[in-house]
Amino acid sequence: MGTNQTIDSRVFVIVRAYNEATVIRDVLRQLCERFDRIVVIDDGSTDTTAVCLNGLKVILLRHCVNLGAGAALQTGLTYAVSHGADWILTFDADAQHRVEDALAILKLLQSGNCDVVFGSRFLGTTINIPKTRKVLLLVARWFSNRMFDTRLTDAHNGLRGFNRKAAALLDLTQNGMAYASEMLRQLKEGNMIIREIPVTIEYTDYSRRKGQSSLNAVNILIDLIMGRLMR
Amino acid sequence: MNFRYFLLILLSTFFLYVLWLPKQTLIRKAFVLCFVAGMLVFALNPDLSTEIANYFGIVRGVDFLFYLSHLTLFFIAFVYYLRFREMEIRFTKLARQVAIDQAMNLDLRSPD
């Protein structure tokens, strides 16, 4: 792959956005340089996020109301699978991720040795990560690994890659942030091979402001427990 | 004593109301009727609640009813949670389908 070459059209990049008008255009410009099929899920934004995308080579899907990160991801996956995607990458709209990392994930996916690739900030680098967030993520990591018998270092990272088989398998019903654990469960039950790759996550003032509250971890835990009971 | 009569009238009215509700399912109607009938029995014969309480190792009948009402409320909350989840999942699927059906290719729109 040359540096200015775009990836083939069987690769879809899903970008979830909720009130990201400040940064999303720059993020998508970078992605557009390398990827041909970018699907933006506007999760009921009340700002000018959708208007900011005019003229960019992206496909916009709009939720009529804000449903949550899990619902937006599932919408993107459903769209991509039904439109012939062979490899699907997920990328956050708040400028925390790097396109080079997405390309590395794609390369590993296309090698055919795994079905899913998770980017891991704990194998790679985190820039300006708040201490509370780090502790919270480590607790979530311990919890997920215990619950699903995995050895992952960062299952809650938004930078991920799926092959078609893994994406088609997923049927996320947790609309909020608890989707990450639900996804892990479904992937494990489907015997998908999951790999991790080091990535760099940069916490900017903007992303720290936008990020979820640490107290939301309690809500996520309740969602998970209830979801587990409901099965 | 006056309160007891008031409670009896209230429960009886509720009993009859539920009995004649046309849109309730049979199971839901039976559940509510059993609950109201139970309350009526306990209101008419308060010693019965004490006897049952003693059987479960609880001293006072009123404590037994207190625990029972907590369990009932928890059950009702759980049932409504299930219904809420089901509706949430349906609504999400609907919003998703609308979003997919109305997907827009933005490079076809005028650039900024």
Side-chain angles (χ1 to χ4, degrees), chain B residues 27-46:
Chain B
I27 292 174
R28 204 178 305 159
K29 199 184 265 188
F31 173 77
V32 178
L33 287 178
C34 286
F35 182 78
V36 177
M39 290 296 113
L40 267 172
V41 170
F42 287 132
L44 288 169
N45 186 5

Side-chain angles (χ1 to χ4, degrees), chain A residues 2 11 37 60 70 83 86-87 101 104 106 165 197 205 225 227:
Chain A
V11 179
R37 294 271 185 112
L60 175 66
H83 285 75
D86 281 339
W87 295 284
D101 290 333
L106 180 64
K165 189 170 69 167
I197 198 169
D205 288 341
I225 292 167

Side-chain angles (χ1 to χ4, degrees), chain B residues 10-66:
Chain B
L10 198 73
L11 285 170
S12 305
T13 313
F14 189 56
F15 188 91
L16 293 172
Y17 172 70
V18 173
L19 201 63
W20 277 305
L21 267 182
K23 288 185 178 175
Q24 295 281 351
T25 62
L26 194 65
I27 292 174
R28 204 178 305 159
K29 199 184 265 188
F31 173 77
V32 178
L33 287 178
C34 286
F35 182 78
V36 177
M39 290 296 113
L40 267 172
V41 170
F42 287 132
L44 288 169
N45 186 5
D47 292 339
L48 186 64
S49 64
T50 308
E51 280 175 37
I52 298 172
N54 291 341
Y55 179 78
F56 286 105
I58 302 164
V59 180
R60 295 194 309 169
V62 70
D63 289 340
F64 169 73
L65 290 179
F66 182 73

Side-chain angles (χ1 to χ4, degrees), chain B residues 79-103:
Chain B
V79 167
Y80 274 90
Y81 173 81
L82 287 182
R83 206 178 289 175
F84 171 77
R85 270 293 291 161
E86 191 190 323
M87 277 178 64
E88 187 187 32
I89 290 170
R90 282 187 192 186
F91 177 72
T92 302
K93 282 183 178 170
L94 178 67
R96 177 169 298 134
Q97 198 54 54
V98 170
I100 290 172
D101 289 347
Q102 298 180 350

